[in-house]
């Protein structure tokens, strides 16, 4: 009898917490800058519809969750790098991911591994709150404004996995650390292994607005604390370049 009451009480508490969370997010509203950024991106021609990138219906969920112009993205870099499954992203994320792949990921793959990346294992849109955040608020994933990268598949058949290859003095670790550091040149938020327990197995990349001028970047762990293995020396001009991208739309 006592056990049955305990179970019922546990269910009651769980349901109550879930309803409270729903109620909290229901009062949130999508900030105006998100719609403005999407609209500017779509009208700029920065993203061209193709067999790899297709527009879908607007998404409107609780707490402002969703996008005005969601894009179903099967591949980046004009189809050269596919996703393990299609991602739902806001317009501004697509050209930004393209630049990161073309200018950072592919050169690093050649330098460290003598190969090219042909597929990214990732996750994107999810109408949910932040995981591990100090304040309960909607995640950038809820607006299609974030991408979680778990692994890279190379053209030689090798898969480099963040969870197992980040640590150590291997070429794989060098590749992952370089593309993480270089991501800080392209995204306003970059989180990965060593930041907290919620990011031990992936890179979180987003275009959150941290200040009105788009100049503040959040990169954790900090690039200066990340050591690259000495198997292959970094090329000249390799650096962080914080603040060079004042606006995610170019």
């Amino acid at each position: 009898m006592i056990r049955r009451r305990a179970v019922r009480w546990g269910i009651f508490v769980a349901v109550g917490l879930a309803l409270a969370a729903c109620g909290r997010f229901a009062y949130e509203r999508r900030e105006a800058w998100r719609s403005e950024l999407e609209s500017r991106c779509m009208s700029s021609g920065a993203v061209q519809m193709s067999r790899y990138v297709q527009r879908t219906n607007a998404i409107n969920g609780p707490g402002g969750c969703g996008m005005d112009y969601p894009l179903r993205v099967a591949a980046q870099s004009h189809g050269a790098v596919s996703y393990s499954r299609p991602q739902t992203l806001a317009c501004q994320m697509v050209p930004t991911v393209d630049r990161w792949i073309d200018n950072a990921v592919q050169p690093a793959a050649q330098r460290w591994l003598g190969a090219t990346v042909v597929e990214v294992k990732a996750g994107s849109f999810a109408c949910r709150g932040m995981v591990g955040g100090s304040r309960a608020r909607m995640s950038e994933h809820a607006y299609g404004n974030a991408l979680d990268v778990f692994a890279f598949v190379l053209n030689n058949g090798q898969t480099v996995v963040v969870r197992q290859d980040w640590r150590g003095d291997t070429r794989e670790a060098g590749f992952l650390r370089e593309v993480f550091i270089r991501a800080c040149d392209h995204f306003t938020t970059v989180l990965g292994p060593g930041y907290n327990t919620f990011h031990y197995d992936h890179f979180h990349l987003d275009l959150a607005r941290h200040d009105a001028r788009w100049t503040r970047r959040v990169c954790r762990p900090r690039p200066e604390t990340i050591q690259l293995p000495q198997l292959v020396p970094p090329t000249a001009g390799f650096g962080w370049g914080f603040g060079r991208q004042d606006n995610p739309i170019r």
Side-chain angles (χ1 to χ4, degrees):
M1 185 69 175
I2 295 177
R3 183 178 180 181
R4 187 178 302 172
R5 287 179 178 175
V7 170
R8 281 191 297 213
W9 174 250
I11 294 174
F12 173 78
V13 171
V15 171
L17 290 173
L19 290 174
C22 291
R24 179 176 65 247
F25 293 137
Y27 287 104
E28 293 190 25
R29 293 293 180 265
R30 197 181 309 168
E31 300 97 327
W33 66 263
R34 297 186 184 277
S35 295
E36 293 169 3
L37 194 59
E38 281 189 81
S39 179
R40 285 171 48 207
C41 177
M42 292 296 292
S43 61
S44 72
V47 177
Q48 298 296 322
M49 299 303 105
S50 68
R51 58 185 292 193
Y52 310 109
V53 181
Q54 299 178 353
R55 183 173 167 180
T56 62
N57 294 330
I59 301 173
N60 292 292
C65 170
M67 291 157 270
D68 294 334
Y69 308 101
L71 300 176
R72 185 179 185 272
V73 184
Q76 298 278 167
S77 301
H78 305 288
V81 180
S82 63
Y83 283 116
S84 51
R85 65 177 185 273
Q87 304 298 315
T88 301
L89 294 168
C91 179
Q92 64 272 10
M93 281 293 292
V94 179
T96 308
V97 174
D98 277 344
R99 289 193 293 270
W100 176 59
I101 289 176
D102 295 343
N103 300 326
V105 175
Q106 296 293 25
Q110 284 288 343
R111 179 164 41 252
W112 291 95
L113 305 169
T116 58
V117 172
V118 296
E119 181 182 306
V120 174
K121 296 185 182 299
S124 54
F125 175 71
C127 190
R128 62 170 175 80
M130 293 177 63
V131 175
S134 58
R135 292 177 293 178
R137 61 182 183 182
M138 295 298 280
S139 165
E140 289 301 310
H141 286 288
Y143 309 106
N145 201 33
L147 185 73
D148 285 345
V149 175
F150 296 88
F152 301 88
V153 180
L154 309 180
N155 64 340
N156 61 11
Q158 180 183 4
T159 299
V160 182
V161 182
V162 174
R163 180 183 59 202
Q164 66 189 37
D165 294 317
W166 174 263
R167 293 175 177 78
D169 293 322
T170 65
R171 292 181 182 272
E172 290 77 10
F175 163 71
L176 289 174
R177 293 173 194 174
E178 181 174 332
V179 300
F180 177 88
I181 291 170
R182 293 294 301 274
C184 300
D185 290 342
H186 298 277
F187 300 92
T188 58
T189 311
V190 181
L191 309 174
Y195 169 56
N196 62 21
T197 57
F198 299 101
H199 295 85
Y200 78 98
D201 64 347
H202 69 278
F203 300 157
H204 170 93
L205 315 173
D206 75 40
L207 289 173
R209 185 180 182 180
H210 297 300
D211 62 26
R213 293 186 176 184
W214 292 93
T215 55
R216 181 170 177 256
R217 306 296 175 98
V218 176
C219 198
R220 302 289 186 274
R222 295 181 181 276
E224 61 269 22
T225 68
I226 300 174
Q227 293 186 344
L228 296 177
Q230 294 304 308
L231 296 175
V232 180
T235 59
F238 173 72
W240 329 135
F242 287 114
R244 287 189 301 198
Q245 181 187 340
D246 291 334
N247 193 301
I249 297 301
R250 286 182 175 177

